[in-house]
Amino acid sequence: MVRILVVIVTYNARKWIEKGLRSVEKSTLPADVLVIDNGSTDGTLPLIRTDWPGTRILETGKNLGFGAANNLGLRIALDEGYDFAYLMNQDAWLEKDTLGKLVAAHRQEWGVLSPMQLDAHGRRDKRFNKKCRKYIDNALKGYHNDRLVVEVPFVMAAHWLLSRRAIETVGGFSPAFRQYGEDDNWIDRLHWHKLLCGVVPAASAVHNRGGRRLSRGKKMQLKCIATVVKVSNPRRNWRWMCIREVLELVGMGIKNFSAVPWRYIPEFRERLPELRELREASKRQGAFLPESP
């Protein structure tokens, strides 16, 4: 029997978490659940303990961020002999056959497999569609079956099936990223280790962003984080990327009539020694996974 650990990092997740837990309970392929709570104060944990008393909970006591909290779950998955870890956002849920179809499609070369990521209305999630549409649509033009896997350069970590081999090889999320950019970097490292990222079109799952909108300033901050992603990519030339990304920030400010990228340049340059160390560390087998207790 294949063993899967579903890891859900929560932070004030009360309004979503029941759908996620219920979906795992109804999965046709059984899986264990680990909730890693980053210091919720909205009643998330009392709700889980009352309505889902069998759910395993790990309390961090503070907001470690998405990556560091998930790293705890990845370590547990390895230490307890799971074949796969399934990372699922707190505002996401599975279809009954999601896990079964992903596992059936898995082959050794796939480090990450994702289902089709849908919104709460059954349409493709906008960001998922932006990143993956052309690869999926091209593949589906001439060929389709339940085990088809479409190779994509990137897919968001709202729904990730990670093989044990991928976890042991790539490791955990880099501490260079607290929120946003950590999944981009993980997949860059996956590719550096010559493993693949794919989407299984026959499988689907929901990521309910709930109509959240980012302010213009927040969008610019995310664009700035993209420069950290690029210099942290072990497949790129370090010296050239350090120069290129400073120029990118200058151009970004001009293009968007925003001072946010310009104000970010001193912080970016100050972080470069740290980022270089983390980039080198990221090449190691099992990088950034916490030690076993």
PDB file of all heavy atoms in Angstrom, residues 234-246:
ATOM      1  N   PRO A 234      20.507  27.811  -8.933  1.00  0.00           N
ATOM      2  CA  PRO A 234      21.875  27.282  -9.101  1.00  0.00           C
ATOM      3  C   PRO A 234      22.256  27.025 -10.552  1.00  0.00           C
ATOM      4  O   PRO A 234      23.430  26.798 -10.848  1.00  0.00           O
ATOM      5  CB  PRO A 234      21.842  25.970  -8.301  1.00  0.00           C
ATOM      6  CG  PRO A 234      20.405  25.592  -8.243  1.00  0.00           C
ATOM      7  CD  PRO A 234      19.631  26.879  -8.216  1.00  0.00           C
ATOM      8  N   ARG A 235      21.294  27.080 -11.458  1.00  0.00           N
ATOM      9  CA  ARG A 235      21.604  26.848 -12.882  1.00  0.00           C
ATOM     10  C   ARG A 235      22.067  28.130 -13.583  1.00  0.00           C
ATOM     11  O   ARG A 235      22.485  28.076 -14.737  1.00  0.00           O
ATOM     12  CB  ARG A 235      20.370  26.293 -13.601  1.00  0.00           C
ATOM     13  CG  ARG A 235      19.930  24.923 -13.105  1.00  0.00           C
ATOM     14  CD  ARG A 235      18.825  24.360 -13.977  1.00  0.00           C
ATOM     15  NE  ARG A 235      17.629  25.186 -13.913  1.00  0.00           N
ATOM     16  CZ  ARG A 235      16.614  25.116 -14.768  1.00  0.00           C
ATOM     17  NH1 ARG A 235      16.674  24.257 -15.775  1.00  0.00           N
ATOM     18  NH2 ARG A 235      15.552  25.878 -14.628  1.00  0.00           N
ATOM     19  N   ARG A 236      22.003  29.267 -12.910  1.00  0.00           N
ATOM     20  CA  ARG A 236      22.361  30.530 -13.556  1.00  0.00           C
ATOM     21  C   ARG A 236      23.719  31.035 -13.075  1.00  0.00           C
ATOM     22  O   ARG A 236      24.169  30.694 -11.976  1.00  0.00           O
ATOM     23  CB  ARG A 236      21.285  31.583 -13.274  1.00  0.00           C
ATOM     24  CG  ARG A 236      19.912  31.192 -13.810  1.00  0.00           C
ATOM     25  CD  ARG A 236      19.002  32.385 -13.876  1.00  0.00           C
ATOM     26  NE  ARG A 236      17.696  32.043 -14.422  1.00  0.00           N
ATOM     27  CZ  ARG A 236      16.871  32.915 -14.955  1.00  0.00           C
ATOM     28  NH1 ARG A 236      17.204  34.206 -15.023  1.00  0.00           N
ATOM     29  NH2 ARG A 236      15.678  32.551 -15.422  1.00  0.00           N
ATOM     30  N   ASN A 237      24.342  31.863 -13.889  1.00  0.00           N
ATOM     31  CA  ASN A 237      25.648  32.417 -13.549  1.00  0.00           C
ATOM     32  C   ASN A 237      25.502  33.461 -12.450  1.00  0.00           C
ATOM     33  O   ASN A 237      24.792  34.460 -12.624  1.00  0.00           O
ATOM     34  CB  ASN A 237      26.281  33.049 -14.801  1.00  0.00           C
ATOM     35  CG  ASN A 237      27.654  33.638 -14.512  1.00  0.00           C
ATOM     36  OD1 ASN A 237      27.767  34.760 -14.030  1.00  0.00           O
ATOM     37  ND2 ASN A 237      28.698  32.877 -14.819  1.00  0.00           N
ATOM     38  N   TRP A 238      26.176  33.252 -11.335  1.00  0.00           N
ATOM     39  CA  TRP A 238      25.998  34.108 -10.165  1.00  0.00           C
ATOM     40  C   TRP A 238      26.374  35.555 -10.445  1.00  0.00           C
ATOM     41  O   TRP A 238      25.585  36.469 -10.192  1.00  0.00           O
ATOM     42  CB  TRP A 238      26.810  33.563  -8.992  1.00  0.00           C
ATOM     43  CG  TRP A 238      26.893  34.528  -7.840  1.00  0.00           C
ATOM     44  CD1 TRP A 238      27.955  35.318  -7.517  1.00  0.00           C
ATOM     45  CD2 TRP A 238      25.865  34.820  -6.898  1.00  0.00           C
ATOM     46  NE1 TRP A 238      27.657  36.098  -6.416  1.00  0.00           N
ATOM     47  CE2 TRP A 238      26.379  35.802  -6.018  1.00  0.00           C
ATOM     48  CE3 TRP A 238      24.576  34.362  -6.702  1.00  0.00           C
ATOM     49  CZ2 TRP A 238      25.644  36.325  -4.954  1.00  0.00           C
ATOM     50  CZ3 TRP A 238      23.819  34.883  -5.635  1.00  0.00           C
ATOM     51  CH2 TRP A 238      24.356  35.854  -4.786  1.00  0.00           C
ATOM     52  N   ARG A 239      27.569  35.792 -10.940  1.00  0.00           N
ATOM     53  CA  ARG A 239      28.043  37.170 -11.118  1.00  0.00           C
ATOM     54  C   ARG A 239      27.164  37.936 -12.094  1.00  0.00           C
ATOM     55  O   ARG A 239      26.811  39.099 -11.848  1.00  0.00           O
ATOM     56  CB  ARG A 239      29.494  37.171 -11.591  1.00  0.00           C
ATOM     57  CG  ARG A 239      30.465  36.674 -10.524  1.00  0.00           C
ATOM     58  CD  ARG A 239      31.910  36.777 -11.001  1.00  0.00           C
ATOM     59  NE  ARG A 239      32.832  36.326  -9.961  1.00  0.00           N
ATOM     60  CZ  ARG A 239      34.150  36.298 -10.108  1.00  0.00           C
ATOM     61  NH1 ARG A 239      34.698  36.689 -11.251  1.00  0.00           N
ATOM     62  NH2 ARG A 239      34.905  35.870  -9.121  1.00  0.00           N
ATOM     63  N   TRP A 240      26.823  37.296 -13.184  1.00  0.00           N
ATOM     64  CA  TRP A 240      25.992  37.988 -14.176  1.00  0.00           C
ATOM     65  C   TRP A 240      24.614  38.291 -13.609  1.00  0.00           C
ATOM     66  O   TRP A 240      24.076  39.385 -13.820  1.00  0.00           O
ATOM     67  CB  TRP A 240      25.874  37.138 -15.439  1.00  0.00           C
ATOM     68  CG  TRP A 240      24.788  37.583 -16.378  1.00  0.00           C
ATOM     69  CD1 TRP A 240      23.754  36.844 -16.828  1.00  0.00           C
ATOM     70  CD2 TRP A 240      24.622  38.880 -16.961  1.00  0.00           C
ATOM     71  NE1 TRP A 240      22.952  37.578 -17.652  1.00  0.00           N
ATOM     72  CE2 TRP A 240      23.460  38.843 -17.755  1.00  0.00           C
ATOM     73  CE3 TRP A 240      25.348  40.072 -16.876  1.00  0.00           C
ATOM     74  CZ2 TRP A 240      23.005  39.942 -18.466  1.00  0.00           C
ATOM     75  CZ3 TRP A 240      24.890  41.179 -17.595  1.00  0.00           C
ATOM     76  CH2 TRP A 240      23.740  41.109 -18.378  1.00  0.00           C
ATOM     77  N   MET A 241      24.041  37.358 -12.850  1.00  0.00           N
ATOM     78  CA  MET A 241      22.699  37.581 -12.314  1.00  0.00           C
ATOM     79  C   MET A 241      22.685  38.702 -11.285  1.00  0.00           C
ATOM     80  O   MET A 241      21.713  39.461 -11.199  1.00  0.00           O
ATOM     81  CB  MET A 241      22.143  36.297 -11.700  1.00  0.00           C
ATOM     82  CG  MET A 241      21.873  35.190 -12.711  1.00  0.00           C
ATOM     83  SD  MET A 241      20.851  35.719 -14.109  1.00  0.00           S
ATOM     84  CE  MET A 241      19.335  36.169 -13.268  1.00  0.00           C
ATOM     85  N   CYS A 242      23.750  38.855 -10.519  1.00  0.00           N
ATOM     86  CA  CYS A 242      23.816  39.953  -9.541  1.00  0.00           C
ATOM     87  C   CYS A 242      23.741  41.303 -10.251  1.00  0.00           C
ATOM     88  O   CYS A 242      23.059  42.232  -9.791  1.00  0.00           O
ATOM     89  CB  CYS A 242      25.096  39.862  -8.720  1.00  0.00           C
ATOM     90  SG  CYS A 242      25.136  38.478  -7.572  1.00  0.00           S
ATOM     91  N   ILE A 243      24.447  41.436 -11.362  1.00  0.00           N
ATOM     92  CA  ILE A 243      24.413  42.681 -12.139  1.00  0.00           C
ATOM     93  C   ILE A 243      23.065  42.829 -12.836  1.00  0.00           C
ATOM     94  O   ILE A 243      22.425  43.897 -12.777  1.00  0.00           O
ATOM     95  CB  ILE A 243      25.541  42.687 -13.183  1.00  0.00           C
ATOM     96  CG1 ILE A 243      26.905  42.637 -12.484  1.00  0.00           C
ATOM     97  CG2 ILE A 243      25.439  43.910 -14.092  1.00  0.00           C
ATOM     98  CD1 ILE A 243      28.063  42.374 -13.428  1.00  0.00           C
ATOM     99  N   ARG A 244      22.632  41.768 -13.474  1.00  0.00           N
ATOM    100  CA  ARG A 244      21.404  41.812 -14.274  1.00  0.00           C
ATOM    101  C   ARG A 244      20.197  42.182 -13.433  1.00  0.00           C
ATOM    102  O   ARG A 244      19.344  42.975 -13.862  1.00  0.00           O
ATOM    103  CB  ARG A 244      21.175  40.447 -14.937  1.00  0.00           C
ATOM    104  CG  ARG A 244      19.950  40.390 -15.835  1.00  0.00           C
ATOM    105  CD  ARG A 244      19.737  38.966 -16.345  1.00  0.00           C
ATOM    106  NE  ARG A 244      18.637  38.892 -17.282  1.00  0.00           N
ATOM    107  CZ  ARG A 244      17.354  38.820 -16.936  1.00  0.00           C
ATOM    108  NH1 ARG A 244      17.026  38.832 -15.660  1.00  0.00           N
ATOM    109  NH2 ARG A 244      16.411  38.742 -17.862  1.00  0.00           N
ATOM    110  N   GLU A 245      20.089  41.624 -12.225  1.00  0.00           N
ATOM    111  CA  GLU A 245      18.892  41.850 -11.429  1.00  0.00           C
ATOM    112  C   GLU A 245      18.846  43.254 -10.818  1.00  0.00           C
ATOM    113  O   GLU A 245      17.772  43.790 -10.589  1.00  0.00           O
ATOM    114  CB  GLU A 245      18.757  40.771 -10.355  1.00  0.00           C
ATOM    115  CG  GLU A 245      18.473  39.384 -10.933  1.00  0.00           C
ATOM    116  CD  GLU A 245      17.367  39.405 -11.980  1.00  0.00           C
ATOM    117  OE1 GLU A 245      16.264  39.891 -11.668  1.00  0.00           O
ATOM    118  OE2 GLU A 245      17.611  38.945 -13.112  1.00  0.00           O
ATOM    119  N   VAL A 246      19.991  43.861 -10.559  1.00  0.00           N
ATOM    120  CA  VAL A 246      19.980  45.275 -10.153  1.00  0.00           C
ATOM    121  C   VAL A 246      19.459  46.132 -11.302  1.00  0.00           C
ATOM    122  O   VAL A 246      18.614  47.024 -11.114  1.00  0.00           O
ATOM    123  CB  VAL A 246      21.386  45.734  -9.714  1.00  0.00           C
ATOM    124  CG1 VAL A 246      21.411  47.260  -9.522  1.00  0.00           C
ATOM    125  CG2 VAL A 246      21.796  45.036  -8.411  1.00  0.00           C
TER     126      VAL A 246
END
